[in-house]
Amino acid sequence: MKHRRRESIGERAASLALAALMLFACLPFAASPQAHADATVLEVGSFDALVSLVRQSQTDAFEGRTIVLTADLDLTGSNMDAAMQELGHLSFGSSSVPFKGTFDGQGHAIAGLDYNRALFVPAADTGLFAQTQGATIKNLVMRDAYVGADFRGGVLVGLAQDTRIENVTLINCTSSVTPANNAISLITNAGLAGGVLAGEVNNSVLYNCEVRGGGAINTSTAGVTALGGEGLYLGGLVGTASGSTIEYCRVTPQVDSAGTGSSPT
């Protein structure tokens, strides 16, 4: 009769260790914050993912990296109040850390970005991107957005420097620019710039962009320029542009189901 070899304690321990190692290898890997920061392509498919990257952009310019939108985002049902309370406004980049990466919407839409700032609270550059430098923004649709600013208001970007913006469409979006010192702007107004797409663009390229409906509005004192203030620059596409190229861009009316249209104001 053949006898089975009795397994030693060492062999049993080795078998259990190997099984545990194989089980660990099958578990989903959660990237560390550093791995997230070092990734070349970052995907955004939810409101929480968008907020996370906006938060990161306060100290990270995303230079050399690409953010890709993997789904349409409707912000109207999201927890915008909490995000606004934490971040001030839902914007990539800032004056001290401008966004320097690539944002590729891949044809997806972001709807319902709503930042209706308090009238006497200064807040410049409050678009989806506050300030950009050497960046690329492309293949994106924005719908039904309302963005308020006291200077350089734009739904997509407040201030774009050396930036390429292409294949971007804004539908029924409004940029509202009112100086924080509106009550005394006859004396102290420093001017403003606002556009539906961008507040100010310098040394940049805008290619195949469209503003459909919506408008750029302002409620500051109309006579301020004549009394020594700076100019009030509002545009259906951009507020001001310097050293920039704008090609195949258009401002068109938004046509509703009844066939009537409303032109950008």
Side-chain angles (χ1 to χ4, degrees):
M1 177 182 293
K2 294 182 179 180
H3 295 282
R4 296 176 61 189
R5 184 174 63 86
R6 183 173 296 175
E7 190 176 32
S8 69
I9 295 177
E11 290 173 328
R12 175 69 61 85
S15 297
L16 291 174
L18 180 60
L21 182 61
M22 293 176 66
L23 178 62
F24 177 79
C26 294
L27 293 175
F29 175 70
S32 66
Q34 185 60 42
H36 184 268
D38 292 341
T40 303
V41 177
L42 303 170
E43 295 185 345
V44 174
S46 67
F47 173 74
D48 289 341
L50 182 69
V51 172
S52 176
L53 291 183
V54 167
R55 184 185 297 114
Q56 183 177 330
S57 75
Q58 294 180 338
T59 56
D60 185 350
F62 291 96
E63 189 168 9
R65 281 165 287 162
T66 299
I67 297 173
V68 295
L69 201 58
T70 60
D72 293 344
L73 299 183
D74 186 352
L75 308 185
T76 56
S78 56
N79 192 8
M80 284 287 291
D81 290 341
M84 293 298 185
Q85 185 173 0
E86 176 194 355
L87 301 170
H89 45 86
L90 201 63
S91 303
F92 285 94
S94 63
S95 58
S96 57
V97 187
F99 181 80
K100 297 182 178 181
T102 296
F103 188 98
D104 187 353
Q106 298 192 123
H108 292 293
I110 296 177
L113 179 63
D114 188 356
Y115 180 67
N116 193 355
R117 75 177 179 89
L119 183 60
F120 292 97
V121 177
D125 307 325
T126 53
L128 182 63
F129 294 85
Q131 292 193 17
T132 61
Q133 186 175 56
T136 297
I137 306 170
K138 60 183 181 180
N139 308 325
L140 177 65
V141 177
M142 295 188 70
R143 298 176 181 272
D144 304 321
Y146 184 98
V147 173
D150 73 325
F151 180 66
R152 274 198 311 255
V155 172
L156 181 68
V157 56
L159 173 61
Q161 308 243 47
D162 304 300
T163 293
R164 183 175 181 87
I165 302 172
E166 61 180 82
N167 302 327
V168 173
T169 301
L170 273 60
I171 302 173
N172 193 32
C173 294
T174 298
S175 174
S176 174
V177 190
T178 302
N181 61 353
N182 187 42
I184 53 173
S185 61
L186 276 172
I187 302 173
T188 64
N189 183 67
L192 57 85
V196 182
L197 184 78
E200 179 181 344
V201 295
N202 298 319
N203 303 315
S204 297
V205 174
L206 275 65
Y207 182 84
N208 192 35
C209 295
E210 180 178 1
V211 172
R212 194 183 306 164
I217 61 176
N218 162 255
T219 58
S220 65
T221 306
V224 65
T225 303
L227 297 178
E230 297 295 330
L232 310 179
Y233 301 103
L234 294 175
L237 193 65
V238 301
T240 65
S242 174
S244 299
T245 300
I246 301 176
E247 291 185 302
Y248 302 106
C249 295
R250 55 216 170 269
V251 177
T252 60
Q254 169 71 358
V255 179
D256 58 26
S257 58
T260 59
S262 60
S263 299
T265 55

